[in-house]
Amino acid sequence: MMNISVQNLNMTYPTGKIALRDISLDIKSPNLIGLLGPNGAGKSTFMNLLTAGLLPTGGSILLDGEPLVHKEKKLKSKLGYLPQSFGLYDELTVWQFLDYMAALKGIRDNKKDIERVIQETNLKDKRKARIRTLSGGQRQRVGIAQALLGNPELLIFDEPTVGLDPEERISFRNLFSKNAQDKIVLLSTHIIEDVQSVCNRLIAINHGKILFDGTPEQLILSAQGHVGLLENQQEEQGFKVTARVNTANGVHYRIVAKQLPFGAQVVEPTLEDAYMYLIGKEGDKQ
Amino acid sequence: MSFFSYIKVETSRIFQSKSTWLVMVLTLLCPLIGYSVHQTAVTATTASFVLANPVLAGGLGGGILFALLALYEFDRVYKYHTDALTESITSPLLLGGAKLISLLAAALVTTVAASVLYLPYTVYRMGVVFNFLEYLDCFFILMLPSLWLSILATTAFYQMIRRVDLSFVLFAVFTFFSLSPWAESEYILRWINPLVPGLSDDFSNGIIFRTAVYNRLFWLSILSGIWFLGLLCVRNYRKGLFGSFTHNVRKAYLLELSIAFLCFGVYLYHAEPYIDHSPAKIYGSGVGGTQTIVAMDSPYAEENSNLTLVSTQLETDIEASRSRLKSTAVYQLKNSSGKPQECILQINPGYTIDHITANGEAVSFTDKKNDHEHMKDIAVSLPSEEEIRLEVRYEGYPKIWSETRRHLSGHKIEKDYVELGGIHLRPVINASDEGAGVTGEITLPSELELISSGKTAQVIQVNTDGTKTWRIDDPSGSASLFAGNYVKKELSGSVAPIYFYYSQKHENKMEKLEIEQILENTITYCTNQFGPLGYTEVEPFSILETAGHMFGGGSSGNLNIMDESHFSEDGFINFHSGATIADSISTEIIQTWWLQGAMVMDAENSDWTNGGLSVYAAYRMAKEMYGEGYAIENHVKEWEKAWSNMNRNFYVRHPEYANILPEKYIADLQVEFSTIRTHAGMALKVYKAAQLIGEDKMDAVLTELYQNGGTEHPPFITWHDFLNACGLKEEELNIDEAI
């Protein structure tokens, strides 16, 4: 069982940019957490702090009750991490690269483990291929595979489904879900579909602050009565169009708003509607 | 995971990289440059030609290539964001360390491969003079550390500034420093191109390797210190240089290691043990700059004016394997002052005085540590008695003088070669003497043959510890000693026997050349032509081969020394020596005849020396023994070729351009051209004179001059004496017209 406690976490870059403001939350295993937020919201900074790639400028992160700064080695021994942007050793084959990463992780009997992650990430055909010959999606799969090596207790994926085709995305969602049965999986994304069906907890961040921390159902519930359909395009005032739907009766517009405009037909919100509503609401405050 | 596991992982990865293999293959090719272009060691010996220069080229080229590889490997993790994955697993500091060691391992593997690759050719070319241990020393002391130091330097710079371009510029500056004139003579500073003036084929190169090891230790220490400092600068937590340093320095042991290595390096620099840094006295200036005169013996010390040296007796144990000696020198002195006085002993600064007694009583002494002209003064308080038996116990090894440090030449004790004399063997008392000779008992490893100036050294005892004790006796007091694995040949043909000593490595070759017969023929020819040399059976004339580090030859008392280049096909210069090694040695003997028996000099014509006359005499002897065709083909035509080549040289035709050459190159050219003028050029003039007056008459002229000396400035034989004796004018001997 792993327990991560984040207390009043602040992060300001030397340039003066404030990335995180006073974040507090607890994460316990098992858990599959979706971290949502627009680009530049502070998701990657948060993940970097959780993986000890950055030191916070304020607050603390406790790993099983002890400050992370003193338990870095312990964290790294239990961590599988896929950063948003990463490089691989192009001259190695997929198998050699995973062997290298497994060896860095100190995994004994790494052959079995490598076979397992190759299987799970559908890289069986590419195991002997040089990394330089792989497509973007295949490289992403190698990145995910290396994170899964050693069956770590904490898996952190930063935009893991970028570059994957729809079929692969579904397959990986299921893989994350399966892994989350006995560990913590933290999934950062701005693709709502990725988290909708699998995450049991969502954390939405914007401008370095937590806007929401709860279940997907709670997020959907928070948008009840704020999502509607408009038959005709109106001047966009006080609402945000989330989709343009072609129907037999013409084009319908799906909108979210604090107060739906006159004539809008209230509909059941989706997770994406709820997220848009949440972000939009925050935008209005700003 | 342990650090060693990281090393294993990283090493395995490095060896899967094509870049690594490319660098390794190119490094393997670098020694080829040493066979032709990059020839820093004097190629007078086969070892210099096929071993030293290729290995030095391998070190230089490989060093640069591995620096590039190291930069590529250290930078790529950041350039391609591989660090984003690896640093989530382990510390970048640990990975940096593992990466460094894996690169060092690649360099090691490359050097091993190079040593295997070049072994067959080296063995083939060197033949009997090949020494496997020295072969390994060359690759693993001279080449490998150059690669290691390059890797250490570039990665240290990169860790600090995190810029590939700037790191390489810094590395280039650092390399240039090693190759620059500022470091040229300082063995300790030349990190990428260790100082190897030349490698001996026949004798130990111990001093070359000892200084190289010290150099490597010094730089490994300094660069390790800088590297650990660089490690503290490794960027962490996306902080900048100072932020990362502040965080990393919490690992106090890294800072401690850095400081410890740097301090050790500074200590090594200051405790440098091989060079005596005392300056030379500048006596005058010559063309092209100040001329430094090497003063081997100091003027009489004033303090010793009331002393007379009666005799010197040595009991010396030469520990050749440790390159040092322990000795006791006993001096019989007469103190004419009638009161206590201070006596100054002078000795090579590499020795320490342990104990001094006078007439059995310990006396106080002071090591003045006032190194001057390759010696230091020891002040001893002498009692007032008239007869004093002064016993000095000392030990150490001869240091190389700063004036000859560029060539690492001078007196030495090596495991298979000893060369000692004067203040480099014993403390010297510069006092008036009554023909005080030096006698002594010298203990040496039994495989070494001792050759001493004065009377022939005799074995007086074979010891149970694998040593022999020799008795030496040099009435002249110079006591020059040489020892090595020599073959000793007694040559007849003169009034007294002449001994010829050469390295055992050449025994088969010399026998095939029938060297004994050739030398005896030479001696007979010289004796008949010029008369016998003035040596006796008790103090015979000896000709011996010395280490190549001597650069040339000379004489010391009744010893005539020839450096080993005369015995090597690669060092053989045939323009003044004939066609074969045997001819070369014969010419040296003839030159000795002219050196010992006549004084050939002309203040107005510096080309007129015994060199040209010896070369001509060698031709005459060859003609007598092998016929005119052989003599002209292998002697005269070679002189003409050398003379013609010199005159075709660009700098001879356009001397105005020579002025823009570096001083070193001007000096090298001057030496080369001077040798051609004094030997080939002057031999051609004598040859032309012989054609004009007839060879028989020329023989008579030379015999007359040799036996009776010149008349212009007796006893010197001047150029005009020669012209007058031939009845010729200078313009008649214009050799440029003849060629």
Side-chain angles (χ1 to χ4, degrees), chain B residues 409-623:
Chain B
S409 61
H411 296 253
K412 54 174 70 78
I413 303 170
E414 304 289 0
K415 68 177 190 301
D416 66 357
Y417 181 70
V418 175
E419 187 185 318
L420 293 167
I423 54 167
H424 314 291
L425 170 65
R426 66 187 199 277
V428 168
I429 300 176
N430 282 310
S432 63
D433 60 59
E434 298 166 346
V438 176
T439 56
E441 291 180 2
I442 312 291
T443 303
L444 277 171
S446 54
E447 65 273 17
L448 300 186
E449 175 94 19
L450 183 69
I451 301 145
S452 165
S453 57
K455 296 176 184 172
T456 305
Q458 303 288 340
V459 177
I460 55 169
Q461 192 173 313
V462 177
N463 306 308
T464 52
D465 61 352
T467 60
K468 281 181 189 168
T469 302
W470 299 70
R471 175 155 187 81
I472 62 159
D473 185 351
D474 186 353
S476 76
S478 73
S480 293
L481 305 183
F482 293 86
N485 296 307
Y486 284 117
V487 174
K488 181 182 179 182
K489 297 284 180 192
E490 185 179 335
L491 307 173
S492 57
S494 190
V495 177
I498 292 177
Y499 292 103
F500 179 49
Y501 298 86
Y502 60 88
S503 166
Q504 278 178 359
K505 290 180 178 176
H506 296 298
E507 192 164 14
N508 286 339
K509 184 168 74 180
M510 292 297 174
E511 278 176 9
K512 274 186 196 159
L513 284 171
E514 296 179 334
I515 191 75
E516 265 181 270
Q517 189 57 52
I518 291 168
L519 295 186
E520 281 178 1
N521 289 345
T522 308
I523 290 163
T524 306
Y525 175 83
C526 290
T527 306
N528 293 341
Q529 187 72 26
F530 310 117
L533 290 174
Y535 296 101
T536 62
E537 276 198 40
V538 181
E539 283 188 53
F541 181 56
S542 295
I543 303 159
L544 68 136
E545 178 194 356
T546 60
H549 312 128
M550 286 283 293
F551 296 104
S555 64
S556 178
N558 55 334
L559 304 182
N560 183 60
I561 52 185
M562 266 186 254
D563 87 13
E564 64 187 280
S565 64
H566 294 86
F567 296 77
S568 156
E569 278 85 357
D570 285 292
F572 178 64
I573 306 165
N574 64 353
F575 72 77
H576 63 76
S577 308
T580 64
I581 289 170
D583 279 351
S584 163
I585 298 169
S586 286
T587 306
E588 281 299 311
I589 291 174
I590 296 169
Q591 187 152 349
T592 301
W593 233 270
W594 275 96
L595 268 172
Q596 302 274 335
M599 293 190 202
V600 183
M601 191 190 280
D602 193 315
E604 291 168 12
N605 184 354
S606 58
D607 296 344
W608 175 249
T609 66
N610 52 38
L613 293 172
S614 310
V615 170
Y616 174 78
Y619 148 77
R620 280 291 294 125
M621 190 186 74
K623 189 179 172 188

Side-chain angles (χ1 to χ4, degrees), chain B residues 102-113:
Chain B
S102 66
L103 285 164
L104 299 181
L108 173 65
V109 170
T110 309
T111 310
V112 170

Side-chain angles (χ1 to χ4, degrees), chain B residues 192-504:
Chain B
I192 200 166
N193 56 331
L195 180 56
V196 183
L199 276 189
S200 169
D201 288 337
D202 302 339
F203 303 100
S204 171
N205 291 294
I207 188 65
I208 307 264
F209 295 118
R210 283 200 298 280
T211 51
V213 165
Y214 199 85
N215 162 292
R216 280 26 197 132
L217 203 58
F218 166 69
W219 280 111
L220 278 173
S221 187
I222 290 289
L223 289 176
S224 297
I226 296 173
W227 195 86
F228 277 108
L229 209 57
L231 195 63
L232 289 169
C233 301
V234 166
R235 309 304 187 266
N236 232 336
Y237 307 112
R238 301 206 192 157
K239 288 174 182 287
L241 171 62
F242 296 107
S244 299
F245 184 85
T246 313
H247 188 271
N248 293 336
V249 87
R250 289 177 200 169
K251 291 181 173 62
Y253 67 92
L254 290 178
L255 187 63
E256 286 161 9
L257 272 173
S258 172
I259 293 169
F261 274 119
L262 288 170
C263 289
F264 185 55
V266 170
Y267 165 77
L268 287 175
Y269 186 81
H270 285 287
E272 186 284 313
Y274 300 112
I275 307 292
D276 162 35
H277 291 279
S278 62
K281 266 191 182 165
I282 295 169
Y283 287 88
S285 64
V287 178
T290 305
Q291 239 176 16
T292 305
I293 307 298
V294 178
M296 299 307 290
D297 294 304
S298 74
Y300 278 39
E302 282 180 20
E303 292 85 345
N304 298 343
S305 55
N306 292 316
L307 290 175
T308 304
L309 178 63
V310 179
S311 69
T312 303
Q313 193 176 0
L314 298 175
E315 195 175 311
T316 304
D317 184 7
I318 296 177
E319 298 173 31
S321 59
R322 294 180 62 213
S323 297
R324 55 193 298 125
L325 62 77
K326 275 185 184 170
S327 182
T328 302
V330 179
Y331 307 89
Q332 286 297 333
L333 295 167
K334 276 185 184 167
N335 178 2
S336 58
S337 67
K339 52 187 179 185
Q341 73 167 74
E342 193 176 64
C343 168
I344 299 293
L345 309 179
Q346 292 175 318
I347 192 166
N348 183 298
Y351 292 99
T352 50
I353 307 293
D354 297 330
H355 192 64
I356 301 181
T357 61
N359 293 337
E361 297 288 324
V363 292
S364 64
F365 65 92
T366 310
D367 183 342
K368 292 193 169 182
K369 294 181 178 166
N370 57 341
D371 300 7
H372 60 96
E373 296 159 296
H374 207 187
M375 64 183 93
K376 62 179 178 180
D377 295 345
I378 312 291
V380 187
S381 301
L382 295 182
S384 56
E385 288 107 299
E386 188 184 357
E387 301 286 335
I388 297 173
R389 184 180 190 274
L390 187 70
E391 190 174 311
V392 181
R393 223 160 53 211
Y394 60 100
E395 63 182 305
Y397 56 93
K399 281 190 174 184
I400 295 162
W401 195 17
S402 59
E403 290 299 312
T404 56
R405 68 193 189 283
R406 169 73 184 84
H407 303 292
L408 296 177
S409 61
H411 296 253
K412 54 174 70 78
I413 303 170
E414 304 289 0
K415 68 177 190 301
D416 66 357
Y417 181 70
V418 175
E419 187 185 318
L420 293 167
I423 54 167
H424 314 291
L425 170 65
R426 66 187 199 277
V428 168
I429 300 176
N430 282 310
S432 63
D433 60 59
E434 298 166 346
V438 176
T439 56
E441 291 180 2
I442 312 291
T443 303
L444 277 171
S446 54
E447 65 273 17
L448 300 186
E449 175 94 19
L450 183 69
I451 301 145
S452 165
S453 57
K455 296 176 184 172
T456 305
Q458 303 288 340
V459 177
I460 55 169
Q461 192 173 313
V462 177
N463 306 308
T464 52
D465 61 352
T467 60
K468 281 181 189 168
T469 302
W470 299 70
R471 175 155 187 81
I472 62 159
D473 185 351
D474 186 353
S476 76
S478 73
S480 293
L481 305 183
F482 293 86
N485 296 307
Y486 284 117
V487 174
K488 181 182 179 182
K489 297 284 180 192
E490 185 179 335
L491 307 173
S492 57
S494 190
V495 177
I498 292 177
Y499 292 103
F500 179 49
Y501 298 86
Y502 60 88
S503 166
Q504 278 178 359

Side-chain angles (χ1 to χ4, degrees), chain A residues 48 72 76 87 91 100 103, chain B residues 1 10 76 80 237-238:
Chain A
N48 272 316
E72 212 178 298
K76 288 183 173 178
E91 69 272 20
Y100 172 75
Chain B
M1 191 183 180
E10 200 50 44
R76 66 183 301 204
Y80 301 113
Y237 307 112
R238 301 206 192 157

Side-chain angles (χ1 to χ4, degrees), chain B residues 47-64:
Chain B
S48 294
F49 184 71
V50 299
L51 188 51
N53 284 326
V55 161
L56 290 171
L60 178 61
I64 294 167

Side-chain angles (χ1 to χ4, degrees), chain A residues 82-88 139-140 142-144, chain B residues 80-82 84-85:
Chain A
L82 175 76
Q84 190 175 5
S85 160
F86 63 91
L88 307 170
R139 293 170 77 94
Q140 188 73 4
V142 175
I144 294 170
Chain B
Y80 301 113
H81 298 292
T82 319
L85 296 181

